[in-house]
Amino acid sequence: MIRVLLADDQTLVRAGFRSILSDEDDIEVVGEAADGEQAVALARELRPDVVLMDIRMPGTDGLEAGRRILGDPRLDGVRVVILTTFDIDDYVYGALRAGASGFLVKDTEPMELLHAVRVVARGDALIAPAVTRRLIAEFARRGRRPAPGPRLNALTERERDVLGLVGAGLSNQEIAQRLVLSPATAKTHVSRIMTKLDVRDRAQLVILAYESGMITPGWLG
């Protein structure tokens, strides 16, 4: 059973998410928080598998609450997924660096929400492609131009291709289809890249691909 904690200051949002999640036999909503302080307290009390955390809440926001949860050794294994709108800003990168397992837009489809909870619960990271694309576009709009780092020199050409696709928000299945590989081979490539670059999860690969300039607006065509 996947145990989920909901953290959002909007009662209707929490109710909607609870309704979707509670209909599933393998998911249980164990608590709800209306702000970041409550989210941290309930995470410590309930030890959920996944926290769905609104990034903007009164008082302690989702970014700070996520940092506290992910930085607490007593909560090792608790995963945080940030809920956001299309108003993308630097919060995204702060949350990923703090260890968040991914991002979802609040108006995501029910099946995407369920998929995200299951993916994150099993230890993977997920960032909705819509969020990734907007992040890249915003980065370009600001005129910031990253330079490739020396860490990427350890990768083969194929691994660079895979890293770019991970950074663009593609799943292993989608990467396999695009590069004409088996899903198992795509997964192996991703695992090797994570080992070579010494990153803890897929979300960190997105940061690296983004900051190294491997992904740009229109990169996927």
Side-chain angles (χ1 to χ4, degrees), residues 115 119 122 124-126 162 165-166 169-190 202:
H115 172 69
V119 165
R122 67 172 180 251
D124 293 331
L126 179 142
V162 172
L165 293 172
V166 170
L170 273 64
S171 67
N172 288 345
Q173 182 70 39
E174 291 167 332
I175 291 171
Q177 292 173 351
R178 192 170 187 89
L179 297 181
V180 194
L181 304 170
S182 71
T185 299
K187 182 177 180 180
T188 297
H189 279 308
V190 172
R202 202 179 189 93

Side-chain angles (χ1 to χ4, degrees), residues 23-149:
D23 282 342
E24 301 301 304
D25 293 337
D26 61 332
I27 299 174
E28 177 187 8
V29 177
V30 296
E32 296 184 23
D35 58 41
E37 289 292 339
Q38 288 184 354
V40 174
L42 285 176
R44 289 170 176 163
E45 176 187 346
L46 301 172
R47 307 292 176 90
D49 299 302
V50 178
V51 180
L52 294 178
M53 181 87 73
D54 183 19
I55 201 167
R56 289 174 179 159
M57 293 183 286
T60 301
D61 63 18
L63 179 58
E64 177 58 27
R67 282 177 177 156
R68 292 186 193 176
I69 292 171
L70 294 165
D72 189 336
R74 295 170 296 177
L75 300 179
D76 184 40
V78 176
R79 303 279 177 163
V80 174
V81 175
I82 296 295
L83 302 173
T84 185
T85 64
F86 284 121
D87 297 320
I88 303 301
D89 55 31
D90 287 336
Y91 275 152
V92 170
Y93 300 99
L96 288 175
R97 288 193 181 95
S101 292
F103 282 80
L104 281 175
V105 290
K106 281 191 175 182
D107 61 353
T108 190
E109 294 294 327
M111 291 306 297
E112 292 178 355
L113 173 65
L114 296 172
H115 172 69
V117 168
R118 291 177 176 126
V119 165
V120 170
R122 67 172 180 251
D124 293 331
L126 179 142
I127 301 180
V131 174
T132 304
R133 286 193 295 270
R134 286 179 175 269
L135 291 174
I136 298 166
E138 176 65 12
F139 184 73
R141 185 188 68 78
R142 295 180 185 184
R144 298 160 64 184
R145 294 294 183 268

Side-chain angles (χ1 to χ4, degrees), residues 154-173:
L155 304 182
T156 65
E157 183 176 351
R158 174 61 83 187
E159 288 169 345
R160 285 171 178 257
D161 291 340
V162 172
L163 175 58
L165 293 172
V166 170
L170 273 64
S171 67
N172 288 345
Q173 182 70 39

